[in-house]
């Protein structure tokens, strides 16, 4: 499909949906959270790549740090990737079931010019909704090989069996 046809299709879709076509296509809450984090906590140079062919800067949208949430019957583990970030530059907080990770990813060689970068540098903040509400003293956090591993035990209360007459 050539660019003119694509542009015509996009204009038509926008007009038919009352101007909110793209907002209706994507999950609005995720987009708002992603854009808020990108605007508030990234430095102006974050996410900029230099296209080697054209020499033009290109903006890439990223979520940092990336995470995995692993759930078992008796345990939940959150893996948070923080390559190149020092433990001293990380803060971890908990409010209800919202785990907040905040910190700074510093460049390894700040004196050198970036000609191409895919790595994230700068301040970051990410809020993760845990599957359970836990107390801060129930969380265990360990920093190992660029991974922040946050875990907690699930306490499943088994009720008493009530006889039925």
């Amino acid at each position: 499909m050539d660019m003119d046809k694509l542009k015509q299709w996009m204009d038509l879709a926008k007009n038919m949906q009352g101007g909110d076509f793209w907002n209706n296509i994507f999950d609005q809450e995720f987009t708002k959270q992603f854009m808020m984090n990108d605007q508030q906590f990234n430095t102006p140079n974050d996410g900029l790549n230099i296209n080697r062919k054209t020499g033009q800067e290109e903006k890439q949208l990223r979520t940092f740090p990336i995470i995995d949430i692993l759930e078992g019957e008796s345990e939940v583990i959150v893996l948070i990737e923080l390559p190149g970030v020092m433990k001293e530059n990380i803060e971890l907080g908990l409010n209800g079931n919202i785990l907040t990770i905040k910190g700074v990813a510093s460049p390894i060689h700040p004196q050198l010019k970036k000609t191409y970068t895919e790595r994230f540098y700068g301040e970051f903040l990410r809020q993760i909704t845990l599957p359970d509400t836990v107390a801060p003293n129930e969380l265990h956090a360990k920093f190992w090989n660029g991974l922040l591993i946050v875990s907690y035990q699930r306490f499943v209360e088994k009720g008493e069996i009530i006889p039925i007459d």
Side-chain angles (χ1 to χ4, degrees), residues 4 6 30 36 38 41 46 50 53 57-59 69 81 84 89 92 100 103 106 114-115 119-120 130 132 136 141 164:
D4 290 332
L6 180 62
F30 175 79
M36 180 190 75
D38 190 50
F41 299 103
D46 291 336
I50 307 298
K53 292 181 182 177
E57 290 182 349
E58 298 174 341
K59 180 76 173 169
I69 299 175
E81 282 192 23
N89 293 338
L92 194 60
T100 301
S106 301
K114 293 181 200 174
T115 55
R119 295 176 46 91
F120 174 86
L130 299 174
D132 307 298
I164 301 172

Side-chain angles (χ1 to χ4, degrees), residues 107-125:
I108 297 171
H109 298 286
Q111 73 281 7
L112 298 177
K113 176 185 166 195
K114 293 181 200 174
T115 55
Y116 178 81
T117 182
E118 292 182 355
R119 295 176 46 91
F120 174 86
Y121 298 104
E123 293 181 1
F124 61 87
L125 179 130

Side-chain angles (χ1 to χ4, degrees), residues 113-148:
K113 176 185 166 195
K114 293 181 200 174
T115 55
Y116 178 81
T117 182
E118 292 182 355
R119 295 176 46 91
F120 174 86
Y121 298 104
E123 293 181 1
F124 61 87
L125 179 130
R126 177 108 190 246
Q127 294 186 318
I128 304 159
T129 303
L130 299 174
D132 307 298
T133 300
V134 294
N137 63 347
E138 295 173 345
L139 289 178
H140 302 282
K142 181 179 180 179
F143 193 69
W144 174 76
N145 282 350
L147 281 178
L148 179 60

